[in-house]
Amino acid sequence: MGGIKKLFLVLLLGLGCSPDDGVYLKEKTEQTFEYVSRATSRVVDISRDASVRVISEDPNGNKTEGSGAYVRYKSYHLVLTAAHVVEGNHSALITAGKERVIADVVYYDEHNDIAILRLEGLFTRKPLTWRISDVTIGEKVIYTGFPNGYDALSIQGVTSGFSGSNIVLHSYAWYGSSGSAVLDERGRIVGVLSAIDIGYAFFELPQIVEDIVIVAPIRSVREDVLLDALSD
């Protein structure tokens, strides 16, 4: 992947949106599926119950907002998100309903675009269980995020292929979705939403391809490094 294209991929979803952007956004309401199977409905509930907002700062000091998921790993309470959501900061604000908690970044992998934050716990969220999924092409997945200032949106997709170590979905994603935990049909963690693709039209002008979604696989997390950081 060329340097320019990679830069666009990171920027597209990492910019998020400030929690103060646009009064009209406050009028937007939660969206859910109307017709889903019982198994899918269960995973949607799991996904939504664990979803959180992650608020950080970019290198210029501007507030940015992404998504994440509350996760239970052994005896630890964690938030899983994309590395570019926290921009290399040592901490970030986690919000869930009326809860506001500062979480410390304990694992940061810029190359694979995964970050893990530690916190004492959340009362209004139910954590995901740390169960890893290795999806195959054609499998359905679900994620819940907070794109463009909306309340939680739960989005379905299908695993379409692989690009290097990343998973490629046929799904949809928008600004602010980065860091959402992608789950398989059994509620296991596939990875975190990292970016959408950029195509090139006439004169090589960049063109957003928002239905090609890039996912950083949870399998890339080095658990030995994570455990060392958590035990400090």
Side-chain angles (χ1 to χ4, degrees):
M1 182 182 296
I4 294 178
K5 182 172 181 179
K6 184 175 182 181
L7 177 61
F8 269 111
L9 286 174
V10 172
L11 289 177
L12 271 174
L13 295 176
L15 293 176
C17 60
S18 167
D20 299 323
D21 280 350
V23 175
Y24 76 96
L25 294 178
K26 297 178 182 178
E27 303 300 322
K28 296 177 179 178
T29 57
E30 290 192 358
Q31 306 293 310
T32 56
F33 298 118
E34 292 185 22
Y35 303 103
V36 291
S37 69
R38 183 174 299 176
T40 299
S41 180
R42 173 181 170 273
V43 177
V44 169
D45 288 342
I46 291 171
S47 176
R48 295 179 71 82
D49 286 345
S51 61
V52 299
R53 298 178 190 265
V54 182
I55 301 173
S56 186
E57 291 185 351
D58 66 18
N60 297 318
N62 301 310
K63 284 187 178 180
T64 62
E65 184 174 317
S67 302
Y70 182 36
V71 181
R72 178 87 171 184
Y73 176 75
K74 300 185 183 298
S75 61
Y76 303 103
H77 297 271
L78 308 174
V79 167
L80 180 65
T81 189
H84 71 261
V85 169
V86 296
E87 290 282 356
N89 293 312
H90 297 296
S91 62
L93 175 64
I94 306 301
T95 72
K98 295 183 179 180
E99 286 190 270
R100 302 288 187 273
V101 178
I102 297 295
D104 297 321
V105 178
V106 294
Y107 184 93
Y108 184 82
D109 182 351
E110 184 177 18
H111 175 72
N112 289 301
D113 199 23
I114 290 181
I116 299 173
L117 296 79
R118 182 178 180 178
L119 70 174
E120 293 302 316
L122 293 169
F123 293 104
T124 61
R125 301 287 86 184
K126 295 180 182 179
L128 299 174
T129 302
W130 187 278
R131 295 183 300 151
I132 293 175
S133 174
D134 292 315
V135 290
T136 57
I137 294 174
E139 286 192 54
K140 293 181 180 179
V141 295
I142 291 171
Y143 77 86
T144 298
F146 300 87
N148 201 33
Y150 278 95
D151 288 332
L153 296 182
S154 298
I155 310 297
Q156 289 182 302
V158 177
T159 306
S160 297
F162 302 91
S163 177
S165 62
N166 291 325
I167 302 163
V168 181
L169 306 181
H170 181 226
S171 183
Y172 291 93
W174 304 273
Y175 295 101
S177 297
S178 278
S180 304
V182 178
L183 308 181
D184 70 8
E185 292 185 290
R186 294 173 58 185
R188 299 176 300 181
I189 304 171
V190 174
V192 299
L193 199 151
S194 177
I196 55 179
D197 201 5
I198 290 290
Y200 289 88
F202 296 106
F203 307 110
E204 296 189 350
L205 294 175
Q207 175 178 308
I208 296 173
V209 187
E210 60 189 14
D211 59 346
I212 296 180
V213 179
I214 310 299
V215 174
I218 191 67
R219 180 67 71 184
S220 67
V221 173
R222 290 188 54 185
E223 292 191 46
D224 57 334
V225 175
L226 175 59
L227 281 171
D228 284 345
L230 292 170
S231 61
D232 288 344

